[in-house]
Amino acid sequence: LPFLAPSLMFLFLSLMLVGMFNGSLDVAMNAQGVTIEQTLKKPVMSRLHAFFSLGSVIGASVGTFFLATFKSDPNLMIKHVLGVVIISTLVGIVSGRLLIPDANTPKQEQQQRQKQKGFGFSPAVILLGSLCFLGMLAEGANYDWAALYFHDVLKVEGGWSGLGYTAFVMTMTLGRFLGDWLRALWRRGRTVGGLCTGAYALAQAGILKGRRFTMHWDNITAFAENFPDLAPSRQVFTIDERVMTCAGG
């Protein structure tokens, strides 16, 4: 719909609709990921996110290549979007039949309903939703504004402006692949550490919650946008029990 928008208002409404469906899909995927992790009884959530990011890397790379190579075709954008919609719909229909049912028992569901107040959302859900909003706001800025920065500031030609998004998702994918490995080491009682931006991988693994840590101060602002619930210090190094971090040089 956004690519067929005849006016600014229609574009705004269609983008809002896309965002609503994308957010609903994101919640559903994470809920299914929790069920898979509970079923397997081992940490796999970061890897699930990593494969999601890997798909984004492949899609961004392919899309950037086609837009940059065949930019003379006036209908290329419509063809590209239509192909993505068809493939995504077919994959969704097939994979939907393979989902694992929710493992909640009737007793657990009753306890959850008893905790709900007000509009039907518990304070924990509202807090988590607020943190997710801040995280998605920062993530959306990286996704959407990177292309504008490449095109308007760095003067990168045409479709190659998508390289910024591709690079962002590649580093996010790497961090997510490391997440489960770090969580497994942490659960076995090992000491873990991060140098400079290594705190990103530790944060992705959920190890830094409630702990003191540091990173290079040039990266603190960007880190806070991606992890608004964590507050790095400006010390050269910190040691908090089994977590050691250093700001680097």
Side-chain angles (χ1 to χ4, degrees), residues 46 55 59 81 116 130 163 170 173 212 226 237:
S46 289
V81 172
Q116 292 177 346
S130 301
L163 289 174
M170 285 179 64
T173 302
R212 293 184 297 105
N226 288 278
F237 64 89

Side-chain angles (χ1 to χ4, degrees), residues 146-191:
L148 292 176
Y149 178 77
F150 268 64
H151 185 271
D152 296 342
V153 179
L154 300 182
K155 305 301 181 183
V156 176
E157 182 182 356
W160 294 112
S161 57
L163 289 174
Y165 170 78
T166 305
F168 169 74
V169 179
M170 285 179 64
T171 55
M172 185 168 59
T173 302
L174 179 62
R176 286 173 169 175
F177 271 120
L178 291 173
D180 288 328
W181 177 65
L182 289 172
R183 287 173 64 194
L185 290 177
W186 178 256
R187 289 183 177 183
R188 291 199 294 266
R190 302 290 182 86
T191 299

Side-chain angles (χ1 to χ4, degrees), residues 22-225:
N22 184 66
S24 300
L25 178 62
D26 202 4
V27 171
M29 289 191 299
N30 280 278
Q32 178 66 190
V34 171
T35 301
I36 292 174
E37 194 169 65
Q38 291 175 343
T39 302
L40 296 178
K41 292 181 173 58
K42 63 179 182 180
V44 296
M45 180 64 81
S46 289
R47 270 174 287 176
L48 296 177
H49 278 260
F51 279 107
F52 174 81
S53 298
L54 183 60
S56 298
V57 171
I58 296 172
S61 302
V62 172
T64 299
F65 171 77
F66 276 108
L67 291 176
T69 305
F70 304 102
K71 56 185 176 182
S72 59
D73 185 352
N75 298 317
L76 176 62
M77 185 67 71
I78 299 298
K79 295 176 182 177
H80 176 68
V81 172
L82 184 61
V84 171
V85 169
I86 293 174
I87 294 174
S88 300
T89 302
L90 293 176
V91 171
I93 293 174
V94 175
S95 61
R97 299 177 179 273
L98 304 176
L99 297 179
I100 301 176
D102 195 346
N104 278 357
T105 64
K107 182 179 180 180
Q108 289 174 324
E109 293 177 355
Q110 183 178 3
Q111 290 175 344
Q112 291 174 357
R113 285 195 296 268
Q114 290 175 348
K115 292 179 181 179
Q116 292 177 346
K117 298 179 181 179
F119 294 101
F121 297 102
S122 67
V125 171
I126 295 174
L127 176 61
L128 182 60
S130 301
L131 293 175
C132 288
F133 171 77
L134 295 174
M136 293 303 296
L137 185 64
E139 193 169 301
N142 282 300
Y143 284 171
D144 301 329
W145 290 101
L148 292 176
Y149 178 77
F150 268 64
H151 185 271
D152 296 342
V153 179
L154 300 182
K155 305 301 181 183
V156 176
E157 182 182 356
W160 294 112
S161 57
L163 289 174
Y165 170 78
T166 305
F168 169 74
V169 179
M170 285 179 64
T171 55
M172 185 168 59
T173 302
L174 179 62
R176 286 173 169 175
F177 271 120
L178 291 173
D180 288 328
W181 177 65
L182 289 172
R183 287 173 64 194
L185 290 177
W186 178 256
R187 289 183 177 183
R188 291 199 294 266
R190 302 290 182 86
T191 299
V192 296
L195 174 65
C196 192
T197 55
Y200 275 92
L202 298 177
Q204 186 67 48
I207 294 175
L208 297 182
K209 293 180 179 179
R211 296 190 177 277
R212 293 184 297 105
F213 67 97
T214 189
M215 63 189 310
H216 197 279
W217 32 89
D218 285 344
N219 301 295
I220 288 179
T221 301
F223 180 87
E225 292 177 352

